[in-house]
Every structure is written in C-alpha cells, then in structure tokens.
Amino acid sequence: MRYGLRDGMTGRITGRSGGPSRPADGHRGTRGRGRVPGGRGGPSRPVRRRRALRAERRALRGLRTHHPVGPARRPRRLRPQHPGQAPFPLRPSRPAGQRIPRPGLPATTAAWLRRALWTVALTLTGGVVRQGRLPRGGCVVVANHSSHADTAALLAALDARHAPLIAAAADYWFATPWRRRICRHLAAGFPVRRTGGGLDDLLGTAGALRAGRAVVLFPEGTRGRDGAVGEFRRGALLLAQRAGVPLVPVGLAGTDRLLPKHGRLRRTLVRVQIGAPLYGPVAPATARDAVQCLTDRAAAHGLADSRLRRRTAAVVASRRGLPLTFGWAFAEALSWPLMPELFLAVACVAAPRAGLRLSLAALGGSLAGGLLALQLAAGGAHLPAPLTTDRMRAEVSRQLADEGAEAVRHQPWDGIPYKVYAAEAGRARIPAPDWLLASAEARGSRTLTVGLAFAALGAVARPWRRRYVGYLALLGGGFAVGLGVIVAGWS
C-alpha cells in the first residue's frame, strides 16, 4: 500500500515509494481511452466527432423517399441542389435490374420531329443553347413564362426521348379548331382549364408520367413582363407528388426579347437552363426560387465567342468588307491563286448577316476581273497563272472551240480556275458581251450558292462560335488537300 498526497490537478496519488502512479478512481489511465486528462471522465473531441458521424449515418439509413417503381435504397449523400437553399430530398436509388419506363415509338418519333422543327426555327431567329439534361424516366418540368416562344424553346431543348407534353390554356389555345390543331400537332399541347377543373386536367396526365414522359407546366399561369418569376400554383407540385416523379426546374432567358408579349418577332439567342430534379414534397416557394435562380443564371451567362471571329466579323461587316471581297474576286480572275469562295467561307461564317451582300460583291469582282482578263489576253498580254497546268489550258481551248462562250458553264464542276477560262476566251476572240452573259450565269450560280450556304452554316453554328479557330484550321486543311488533288489530276 502506498502512502502519498492526492494531486489536485490530475487526481493522481503521489507517494514516497515511487513507481507508476494511477488515477484515484481506480482506472488505469486516460491516454488513448477517450478520456479527458482532467479526470472528469468525458469523451474527447475526436471521439465526440466520430459518435456524431455514426449517429448521422444511422439517421440517413432511415431516410426513405417515395418512388413509383419500387422501394428505395439508402441515399448516397445529402447536398444542396441550388446555391443558398437547404438540401432537398435525395433521389432514391433504383433497384438493380428494374426497367425504366419509356414512351412508345410513335410518341418519341413525333417528339423528334417537333424538336427538329423548332430547333431549325430558333436557329434562324438567333439560335438556342441548352445546359443540363432531364433525369431518366418521367418528370414534371416547371419553367418561367414570359413569351409564347417559351414552348418552342422547351420543345427544342428537352430530350425527345421523354416525348414532352405541354400544358396549354384551354380557353385560348383550344378555343378554335385551327388553334387546337396547331397546339396538338406542333406543340404536343393538352388543355388545362383556368376557370375551374384545371387540377383534374393535370392529374389526368399522371399515367403519361408513369410511362416515362415529361409534362411541362408554367405554374405562374400567365406570361410575365418584368422578367421576374411570379408566384407558383400548387398544381404542378401535386401532380409530381401524386405520380411519384421528380420536379425539374427550368430557367428560360431570351424568349421575352425574341417574341415579347403583344410584340413582334426579333432575332435573339435563347438560353435554356435545366436544373437538378427535386424529389419528395416540394413547397411552391422552393420550386419558384429554383426556377428564378436558373433564370438569372441563364440571363447572366454570355455566349462564348472567339476573338478572331469577332474581329473578322467587324471587318467584313464594315465599309471595308465589300471592297475587300470585290478586290479578292477581281484579283483571282486575273492571277490570284485563291478562289473567292474560300474568302466567303471565312467571312460569311463569321458574319452570317452579311452573307448576301458579300456574295454579290464577290460575283461582281469576279465578272469584272474576268472581263479585264479577256481584254488583256485578246491584246496579247500573258498574266501569271500559278497553280494551273498546260493540260487545263488545252482542255479549255477545246471547250471554247466547240461551245463558244457557253463553255464557261463547265467551270464550276471541272476544277479549272476561272482565270484560265477568261484568258483562253480572249485568245479565242470570244465577244465580250457573250462572255459576260455566260459568265454571269455560271459564276453567279456557284458564288451565290456557296456564299449563302456558308452564311447559313454560320447562323446554325452560332452557339459554337468559340470554335471558329478550329473551323478555320479544318477549312484551310481541306482546301489545301482539295487544291492539291485538282492540280495533280490536271498535271
């Protein structure tokens, strides 16, 4: 037995005989046992943290949300779906081997056709950009509503495999037979009464949701004007809860400028921002805040562009664009080795709106240069003609001897440069008026077609303007290969 004094700080007994001391309460020590050195017996901070994590895991194991297909597994993690909001109920895991319902082939085929139609229409009016995707299976889509163009934007942006259905006001879109046909066939609309019974109309689509389709609703009930999202009605939330499908918020930006309320159509880019799905019971304010967040994000998101494209468009759309195009085509008809269609491929894609006037300027320069080349060749002048061969000149001479000025109609198809035809026509003493008329028909069909085709390509590819440098690289490489093949074939 040891005799000593109790240490008031540590609770240990210290004695004269030495040896290891022990706690006064009879335990062996606190190191590594989760005890506080003060001797009070409480758990340490790491131990409390581990116990809290275990308690949180046990709570998550008990979390279950309803799913129409079958029982749900434990959710993997809990995270906020939108900045500044509380975490929403997690998506339940689908049992292994369970088939996800999909719409039938006729519905998806019609959806693909509608998506192609409205994609082309919106491309011609400024383009449409989509970010995000719908979840697999049926879902209820809620979006802000500021224009009749909202329906077209959603049909062009949503996945056609969901065969989306659009809720439409029965008192407007189904009031006359022609509106009813347009709404059903072009917009996949179904009527929803606004004066009573609308909830029953919505709940009637629960079967389509369980079959894997997407039902698009505008919970505001009418179009807004100031850009702010109005208060949401509960119909969409009740439909999603009754059908057991998620609620997907979507933000639209640009449709109010494309087709304003009681306004006329204007060109502008439309952006569609698809958010993360919301599972379980969702409050109207929560859904509205999610749509507002996505709408603000879509409105603030600028279209990525290439600095080189912007500079090219600024040059060709300015006063210098037409003289530059005219001079390029004029020089090519005399001696310049690069055809004007190459310049149009660069300029019209960068500035699609200037495509027609640039094509006309290229045609005018080509005709003027060809007429001058004919006069110089008739006077005995020999201009340099790089990347041409004697076989090309011999073939053109034979065609001119057989057909006269009409021989130039072969030029768009045989690969022989226009300057060879102009020079050989001068040596063959072809009359200038006949040559000008035949050249206008042959060159006009090719130059205008190529210029307008590249302008259409530039309009369609507007969402990918940031890839303009890569496009130029592909264009230059393809032109070099094609020119090499043509020259080698005529050598």
Side-chain angles (χ1 to χ4, degrees):
M1 181 175 181
R2 296 190 183 100
Y3 297 92
L5 300 176
R6 185 186 300 270
D7 192 336
M9 295 295 295
T10 63
R12 296 181 183 273
I13 298 176
T14 59
R16 291 180 250 175
S17 59
S21 61
R22 61 180 178 84
D25 56 1
H27 293 284
R28 292 188 175 181
T30 61
R31 182 164 181 166
R33 300 284 183 175
R35 300 286 182 179
V36 178
R40 298 185 180 180
S44 64
R45 185 176 302 173
V47 173
R48 292 197 301 271
R49 188 181 297 114
R50 288 196 296 269
R51 290 180 181 177
L53 290 175
R54 284 197 296 269
E56 184 178 352
R57 293 192 193 101
R58 285 194 297 270
L60 288 176
R61 289 193 191 100
L63 180 61
R64 294 291 186 268
T65 52
H66 176 70
H67 196 277
V69 178
R73 294 181 180 178
R74 183 184 66 183
R76 296 183 179 178
R77 57 175 177 159
L78 195 64
R79 57 182 174 86
Q81 303 291 340
H82 299 281
Q85 295 184 8
F88 297 116
L90 295 177
R91 177 177 183 174
S93 300
R94 190 179 301 275
Q98 188 120 27
R99 180 180 175 273
I100 298 176
R102 294 182 180 179
L105 182 61
T108 54
T109 302
W112 279 112
L113 293 176
R114 293 189 195 97
R115 184 178 186 183
L117 169 67
W118 294 116
T119 299
V120 171
L122 291 176
T123 298
L124 296 177
T125 58
V128 57
V129 177
R130 182 191 76 169
Q131 290 185 344
R133 297 179 65 89
L134 294 179
R136 301 176 66 184
C139 59
V140 175
V141 176
V142 290
N144 57 309
H145 194 28
S146 58
S147 169
H148 284 318
D150 295 337
T151 299
L154 289 170
L155 289 174
L158 298 181
D159 301 323
R161 59 189 174 92
H162 286 84
L165 296 170
I166 310 292
D171 57 346
Y172 181 82
W173 288 107
F174 290 83
T176 60
W178 68 272
R179 285 185 184 177
R180 186 185 307 116
R181 295 189 187 96
I182 291 176
C183 186
R184 287 191 184 277
H185 297 294
L186 298 184
F190 66 93
V192 177
R193 290 167 288 180
R194 292 191 289 188
T195 56
L199 183 59
D200 295 334
D201 298 334
L202 292 180
L203 295 180
T205 62
L209 288 170
R210 296 189 182 99
R213 303 190 70 170
V215 174
V216 180
L217 304 175
F218 301 106
E220 297 171 84
T222 185
R223 290 172 292 168
R225 283 189 174 183
D226 55 356
V229 181
E231 296 298 326
F232 276 14
R233 302 181 181 180
R234 298 187 60 86
L237 314 177
L238 294 176
L239 174 61
Q241 187 175 358
R242 179 73 61 88
V245 297
L247 193 77
V248 180
V250 174
L252 302 173
T255 54
D256 54 342
R257 294 186 297 274
L258 175 66
L259 186 60
K261 189 175 183 179
H262 306 304
R264 59 187 182 88
L265 185 67
R266 295 180 292 183
R267 282 183 56 88
T268 188
L269 178 67
V270 174
R271 300 182 183 89
V272 180
Q273 188 88 23
I274 302 176
L278 312 180
Y279 291 86
V282 180
T286 302
R288 184 231 172 241
D289 292 342
V291 172
Q292 183 70 70
C293 177
L294 293 169
T295 303
D296 296 341
R297 190 185 308 172
H301 179 72
L303 181 63
D305 201 350
S306 167
R307 181 181 302 178
L308 180 60
R309 191 214 65 83
R310 292 197 301 269
R311 292 182 177 178
T312 303
V315 171
V316 299
S318 65
R319 297 179 179 178
R320 295 174 291 175
L322 295 183
L324 181 61
T325 308
F326 184 92
W328 185 298
F330 183 86
E332 190 272 340
L334 293 173
S335 179
W336 181 247
L338 301 181
M339 57 185 182
E341 288 79 6
L342 178 63
F343 179 84
L344 294 177
V346 175
C348 292
V349 170
R353 295 187 181 182
L356 179 59
R357 62 176 182 266
L358 292 177
S359 301
L360 292 174
L363 176 60
S366 183
L367 295 178
L371 189 60
L372 179 60
L374 181 141
Q375 299 293 340
L376 293 176
H382 292 273
L383 298 177
L387 300 179
T388 61
T389 64
D390 294 336
R391 186 182 172 190
M392 290 181 181
R393 287 183 280 273
E395 177 64 20
V396 171
S397 298
R398 184 190 64 78
Q399 293 176 2
L400 290 171
D402 294 340
E403 306 177 36
E406 295 296 328
V408 74
R409 63 185 176 89
H410 299 288
Q411 191 273 327
W413 314 108
D414 57 15
I416 300 177
Y418 178 63
K419 55 180 169 285
V420 176
Y421 277 88
E424 294 302 321
R427 297 186 183 95
R429 304 296 178 180
I430 300 294
D434 296 344
W435 173 255
L436 185 61
L437 182 61
S439 296
E441 181 180 356
R443 293 295 294 169
S445 61
R446 171 174 171 171
T447 304
L448 293 178
T449 301
V450 170
L452 295 179
F454 278 107
L457 176 62
V460 171
R462 183 180 180 183
W464 299 279
R465 286 180 170 181
R466 63 184 182 279
R467 311 290 186 187
Y468 183 72
V469 176
Y471 162 76
L472 293 183
L474 292 176
L475 178 66
F479 176 78
V481 172
L483 184 61
V485 169
I486 291 174
V487 173
W490 286 104
S491 296

